[in-house]
Amino acid sequence: MKNHVYRTALIWFALVVGIIYIYPTIGWMLLSPETRQAKYDQFKAEDDQWAKTRHGAVAEMLYSAKRWAQCDPKRVITLGLDLQGGIHMVLRCDYKELPPDKMKEYQDGGWSAEAIQKKIQETVLNQITRRVNDFEAQEPVIQSLGTDRIQIQLPGEKDIDRARRLITMTAVLNFHIVAGTDESAPIFKAIEDAFPDEFRPFVHAAKEGGLFPLRVRVEDYERVKEVLTKAAAKSGVIPDGKVVAFSQPPKPYEEAYYKLYVINKEPLAKGDGLTSAFAKQDDANPPYWEILFRLNNAAGEQFGVATEANLKRAMAIVLDDRVVSAPTIQDRITTNGQISGSFEAEEANDLAIALNSGSMAVPIHEEFTNIIGPTLGRESVRSGVISSIISLVLVCGFMMFYYRIAGVIANIGLVLNAILILASMAYFDMTLTLPGIAGLILTIGMAVDANVLIYERMREELRRGHSIQASIQAGFSRAASAILDANVTTLIAAVVLLQFGTGPIKGFAITLSIGVVWSVFAALVVCQAVFDFSQGKGQIKQLRMMHILKESGTNIGFMEMGKPAAIGSAIFITLGLAMFVYRGADNLGVDFTQGTNMTIAIESDARVSADSIRTALAGSGFESPIVQEMGGDQAKVANQFNLRVRDVVESQTAGAPKEEGKALTTVDERIKKACASLAGDKGEKGIQIISEQTVGPAVGRQLCIDAAKSLFWALVFVLVYLTPRFELKYAVAAVVATFHDVLFTVAAFALMGKKIDMN
């Protein structure tokens, strides 16, 4: 056997890097919930203090290494909403806040108030979805709530403030000429004269280039803002063509001041024509970042004329009524520009995301942000994890039992495969859900397919009388092409999903791609390296394997079964699809249907678990109810929960049949009745309905369209790959067989009365 130095180095490098990336997750998960919270608060305080000052590259590296050793929660694999809960936001959008010209456009078009509100809600929901996807939040839930609200659930508790800022940002970009000292000084003096005790004591002079903006301490911001609002409303204080604007909030390491600018009320140019924006490091000021933007030709021409007419004047770049920076116009600016404002990397990227999604149709108001518990109960999670582990143990046990020493080597590859997949999830900051855990176990289990191909090839070589060494080499070399073909076609599907998909589709595609790559690496590189090492040490003197079928003379007439199998499958699929059409909306789970979102409180001295509510609702006919425990400041009382059940009409008809002469009960009545026993002696009176709204599907129409497109193009590209590799007829047969499996699965779900949900 050859001594493959580079291969050995690659394997050890992958193993070490993998362990480095999964160490924080393992260490963090071993801590108790109380210890985790204490450490999280401690780390956050230390990180905020560290960010207030600048440090060299070596100091930053040492600080990062220290955080890694302490199992920094920022490096931990994020658990999904179903496993650990996350952030629950409710935002409100009101069509009455539309700009007058846009409102007139809708009204002139004959739109009703309800239609306008619905359109605005849909538009804002799509923009938020795009921002959240670009923000790379994994497995978010974004739904319409009632007629003017949007519900957002983000897994985990990382970067909560950043997510809130990004989602609620209106992202209106304008450019205004800044008033010079000769113009701004009299205006500030007029404000001081009008409000002598409310303005001057709380502002301080400052110099910035050729400008002299006033400064306001962070603690005085609200006070001064209120004064400026009153000054704008008072006649004769601030001229009609001017407005006083604040700067962006100061960074933690900067002086704790806002700046005040007097700018022209009418924009020099607007950002309506913006086509793209992206963040990059500021070459002139390396610690900071800037945003490069591009306008369309029409907007660029107008911007060029406006900037050429105001050369050598200061121009404020205003985002959401805040002055980001106020550079001097040095030359004519057309389609390309830049926004510099001492941005941090994350801040610049978030601003670029918001600008690319477009400014919100109306301002977004945050109703509340809350911490919610997992959508799955502890018992469900425990059962799912245990069943996944048992399945993995059975696979490993079978490999050792059936293939003996070769099976042990296959299991070594599986262990390294699992480490590398988890490490990749940590590196890409992916979210792990319960279906993800099952998918992870399934990926690892399916990885032994490659080992089976290799070992069966080895068996054939041994049967022909070849040596163990030659059989091992032939097993890997001759099975490699089949393994690569099988995994390349899967990878093609994953790449297509990644290209066309969004949200959960893209997250699944990344997981699938990672699993495919590392599975091939484990089978063809790691396992072969272990065989080579063992052979070199003389540890494999014989290669025994069990067999179920006879080693010779096996003759099973598979082709003879083709016709009856095809007829049976066609009948099954036809009946299943007929049942699918007959069931209609009943085929779809809660993720695809309109439903009712409700916040309830249960008056009980004892703690009520989310599991007990799920059990009670399921027993009353509610299918797959989602129950999340509310926490944080927004949970006004104990035992408060957020519920999600199917549409009112469907819920009314579920469960017990309607009694003669009695009207169908409403959802809230049925929920009160179902949960009455949990309130003890108070019964239904102990169930308080805090809020109730109609909620849209978690899986939107566009997501379904994206999934269908992804499926179509995946089959097309697999066909394109297989045709030159084999023949067209074989490629078509493979794709048809794959599509047959999809139809068969859908038919089976319909005939068994199961529902299709997001998972």
Side-chain angles (χ1 to χ4, degrees), residues 80-85 141 153 372-377 380 610-611 614 625-629:
L81 281 168
D82 54 355
L83 297 179
Q84 74 158 353
V141 177
Q153 294 187 355
I372 53 172
T375 58
L376 294 175
S380 300
D611 273 328
R614 287 188 193 94
I626 294 175
V627 182
Q628 296 166 299
E629 186 172 2

Side-chain angles (χ1 to χ4, degrees), residues 457-467 471 478:
R457 187 69 197 189
M458 288 182 187
R459 191 199 299 270
E460 291 180 13
E461 297 297 322
L462 289 169
R463 195 158 49 224
R464 292 171 182 172
H466 296 162
S467 66
S471 298
R478 297 183 180 180

Side-chain angles (χ1 to χ4, degrees), residues 384-450:
V385 172
I386 289 176
S387 63
S388 299
I389 292 175
I390 290 174
S391 64
L392 180 59
V393 170
L394 289 175
V395 169
C396 293
F398 171 79
M399 292 300 291
M400 288 191 294
F401 176 74
Y402 194 74
Y403 290 108
R404 308 294 173 84
I405 185 63
V408 173
I409 294 175
N411 290 341
I412 292 173
L414 287 180
V415 171
L416 182 59
N417 187 17
I419 291 174
L420 295 176
I421 291 175
L422 289 173
S424 300
M425 293 184 73
Y427 177 80
F428 289 109
D429 196 22
M430 297 179 64
T431 300
L432 185 63
T433 60
L434 185 61
I437 293 175
L440 174 63
I441 302 299
L442 181 62
T443 301
I444 295 171
M446 289 176 63
V448 300
D449 287 355

Side-chain angles (χ1 to χ4, degrees), residues 127-135 166-167 169 171 357-358:
Q127 286 183 295
I128 290 176
T129 300
R130 181 175 175 182
R131 289 186 185 184
V132 170
N133 288 334
D134 289 343
F135 178 60
L166 173 64
I167 291 170
M169 187 186 299
S357 71

Side-chain angles (χ1 to χ4, degrees), residues 723-740:
T723 299
R725 285 288 293 135
F726 302 96
E727 292 181 29
L728 178 60
K729 61 182 179 181
Y730 294 126
V732 172
V735 171
V736 169
T738 302
F739 190 64
H740 160 273

Side-chain angles (χ1 to χ4, degrees), residues 572-573 576-577 738-749:
F572 184 87
I573 290 176
L577 294 183
T738 302
F739 190 64
H740 160 273
D741 294 347
V742 175
L743 294 179
F744 196 95
T745 304
V746 172
F749 265 67

Side-chain angles (χ1 to χ4, degrees), residues 29 40 82 126 133 148 181 196 198 205 213 229 266 274 283 297 361 432 452 468 508 555 590 623 632 730 738 742 753:
M29 293 304 174
Y40 182 85
D82 54 355
N126 290 335
N133 288 334
D148 62 348
T181 306
E198 301 175 68
T229 301
E266 187 65 25
L274 189 142
D283 297 331
N297 292 333
L432 185 63
V452 170
I468 292 178
F508 174 77
N555 184 16
V590 67
E623 297 180 0
Y730 294 126
T738 302
V742 175

Side-chain angles (χ1 to χ4, degrees), residues 344-395:
E344 297 289 350
E346 282 186 355
E347 186 182 10
N349 280 308
D350 291 348
L351 179 54
I353 289 171
L355 291 174
N356 281 323
S357 71
S359 59
M360 290 293 183
V362 293
I364 304 302
H365 304 283
E366 185 180 351
E367 294 278 294
F368 69 84
T369 299
N370 198 7
I371 305 297
I372 53 172
T375 58
L376 294 175
R378 292 182 181 177
E379 188 58 37
S380 300
V381 174
R382 181 174 172 273
S383 299
V385 172
I386 289 176
S387 63
S388 299
I389 292 175
I390 290 174
S391 64
L392 180 59
V393 170
L394 289 175
V395 169

